[in-house]
Amino acid sequence: KQQDGIRYHARDLALWRGQRLDVPVVLGSATPGLDTQRLALSGRLTRLALPARARPEAKAPAVRIVDVRKRKLEAGLSPELFEALEQTLARGEQALVFRNRRGYAPVLLCHDCGWSAPCKRCDAPLTVHAGGRKLICHHCGYRAPIPKACPDCGSLALQPQGQGTERVEEALAARFPEARIVRVDRDTTAVKDGLAKKLAELGDGPGIFVGTQMLAKGHDLPRLTLSAVVSLDEGLFSADFRAGERMGQLLVQVAGRAGRAERPGTVLLQTHHPEHPWLALLLHGGYAALSAALLAEREAAALPPYAHWALLRAEAKDASDAEGFLAAARDHLLAAGVPGLEWAGPVPAPMPRRAGRARAQLLLRAAERRALQTALGAAAPGWYALPEARRVRWSLDVDPIDLT
């Protein structure tokens, strides 16, 4: 889905064009979204199952949960993972170590007073990059040097906390100095054809890929037999109601990189919560079982796809201007008198300040899409003429997939 400029979903646009041109549209995915599955359950889409892998000789990988509680970890990597990597390299095969966070460490922390390096333009911490030599904000691009001492207490005990792909790469290089290690993330693939060049670096020889979600899907690496997820706990306890769906999709996609040819594959999932019900559903019933349970939860809570949402966002130098516009837009919308519409806000966005601007949002929801579209069609054109609109940047996102 396009997240800036004209906000549209490529899948929905394809369905819309197919309907008007009277041609079939095929949606292919090993992990279809819950909204797509809801359309199939309601009969608006026809479901076609592909129960086997494309290569007849390829078997589903063996999945193993690694309980890392009370275990000594090195850059987030367990002894079991190091052992599996060593065996993979000894067989002349390739491995993928997945960490969905680029950089060296997510936070720079003072061990003595607890200070952490903040972005001056966003309500977010700066990420440690380049082996601990610089700080970068992943939201606005702000950069700063690593301070020599803590700005609050003067202590020299500044420590990177957590692991990003750079830190994982460093730990693997120290443990396997003779192995070829290729890091694949936004920082290493920024050049033209960067992703293709990185994927080709190992060729048919042994080695280890370390990377983010750009490694997770769409790549056919026949000699890759081990996929490992460094940590999946962030996806198990997120405030986003879509976290379970995204976690399940990502794990299935990462697992799908292993054992795609005649060599059997293995998947290692590191977690502090091996008994989590989502993991049990994935292991014993696959993505279908997890998505069925998540759909039941969404229906009980009246969340999408069993409700329809639109998010009106506003940002300004002053928070009162952003919230003032949203309040005026809400009142203008209510004046249209469309039944069946609910709202929440205006409230500060989950990240209240980004790139130096205050951010707020208004959530609109309806049980039926027609009510939501009717209300927006009646009110949205008038929002441009509101006096408050001249002091803000605003956007309307129908069916938002990111609430931050």
Side-chain angles (χ1 to χ4, degrees), residues 95 97 169 179-185 188 195 197-202 207-211 215:
V97 178
E169 178 190 28
R180 298 191 63 186
I181 299 172
V182 178
R183 176 162 57 92
V184 182
D185 55 28
T188 63
L195 178 57
K197 292 176 181 177
K198 281 292 178 181
L199 292 175
E201 280 192 23
L202 293 186
I208 304 173
F209 288 106
V210 178
L215 263 179

Side-chain angles (χ1 to χ4, degrees), residues 39-324:
L39 291 176
L41 290 171
S42 65
R44 296 181 62 185
L45 296 180
T46 301
R47 182 175 179 272
L48 304 173
L50 298 175
R53 286 192 164 192
R55 288 192 177 99
E57 68 276 12
K59 306 298 182 184
V63 181
R64 177 182 163 199
I65 297 290
V66 179
D67 185 355
V68 296
R69 292 176 294 186
K70 299 182 180 179
R71 304 302 305 276
K72 183 179 180 181
L73 304 179
E74 185 177 340
L77 308 178
S78 64
E80 289 88 345
L81 177 50
F82 279 121
E83 182 181 354
L85 289 170
E86 184 176 5
Q87 294 173 358
T88 301
L89 293 173
R91 293 192 301 266
E93 298 168 353
Q94 298 173 359
L96 184 158
V97 178
F98 176 82
R99 178 64 175 125
N100 202 24
R101 189 180 291 274
R102 64 188 176 97
Y104 187 80
V107 179
L108 181 68
L109 187 72
C110 175
H111 186 62
D112 290 342
C113 74
W115 172 87
S116 59
C119 176
K120 294 182 178 180
R121 306 175 65 207
C122 303
D123 289 327
L126 293 170
T127 299
V128 184
H129 273 258
R133 292 188 295 275
K134 59 184 176 181
L135 298 169
I136 301 177
C137 177
H138 285 184
H139 301 284
C140 72
Y142 172 78
R143 294 170 178 252
I146 298 281
K148 295 182 179 179
C150 174
D152 279 4
C153 70
S155 170
L156 300 178
L158 294 176
Q159 300 178 357
Q161 298 294 311
Q163 308 85 30
T165 51
E166 287 184 14
R167 195 169 197 173
V168 173
E169 178 190 28
E170 179 184 84
L172 291 173
R175 178 62 70 97
F176 306 110
E178 303 300 323
R180 298 191 63 186
I181 299 172
V182 178
R183 176 162 57 92
V184 182
D185 55 28
R186 190 184 303 175
D187 298 324
T188 63
T189 59
V191 298
K192 183 180 179 181
D193 299 325
L195 178 57
K197 292 176 181 177
K198 281 292 178 181
L199 292 175
E201 280 192 23
L202 293 186
D204 292 331
I208 304 173
F209 288 106
V210 178
T212 56
Q213 62 183 355
M214 64 173 57
L215 263 179
K217 52 186 175 180
H219 309 303
D220 187 24
L221 303 167
R223 295 191 65 84
L224 197 149
T225 59
L226 174 66
S227 290
V229 177
V230 173
S231 175
L232 51 85
D233 294 339
E234 295 95 332
L236 297 177
F237 298 98
S238 171
D240 187 347
F241 72 90
R242 290 190 175 90
E245 176 186 3
R246 290 172 177 162
M247 184 272 299
Q249 291 173 331
L250 205 53
L251 291 186
V252 172
Q253 290 160 3
V254 171
R257 298 313 101 209
R260 296 180 64 85
E262 68 280 356
R263 297 171 183 247
T266 302
V267 180
L268 298 184
L269 306 177
Q270 293 191 162
T271 178
H272 289 85
H273 303 275
E275 72 289 342
H276 197 285
W278 287 354
L279 289 179
L281 284 169
L282 264 179
L283 287 178
H284 299 106
Y287 181 72
L290 175 65
S291 58
L294 293 176
L295 274 172
E297 290 181 3
R298 300 270 190 95
E299 185 175 18
L303 292 171
Y306 296 94
H308 303 280
W309 287 8
L311 196 63
L312 183 61
R313 296 183 174 96
E315 59 180 54
K317 291 184 177 180
D318 192 291
S320 61
D321 288 337
E323 295 188 9

Side-chain angles (χ1 to χ4, degrees), residues 334-403:
L334 296 180
V338 178
L341 188 68
E342 298 177 340
W343 67 92
V347 295
M351 183 184 292
R353 190 169 63 98
R354 184 171 180 175
R357 299 179 69 88
R359 306 166 72 237
Q361 58 192 34
L362 174 68
L363 179 66
L364 307 172
R365 57 189 178 221
E368 300 294 333
R369 182 173 295 279
R370 184 180 298 274
L372 181 64
Q373 296 287 15
T374 300
L376 294 177
W383 292 340
Y384 292 92
L386 292 174
E388 295 85 352
R390 293 193 294 267
R391 296 190 292 271
V392 302
R393 292 199 301 237
W394 64 273
S395 63
L396 178 64
D397 189 1
V398 180
D399 297 331
I401 61 173
D402 180 8
L403 302 180

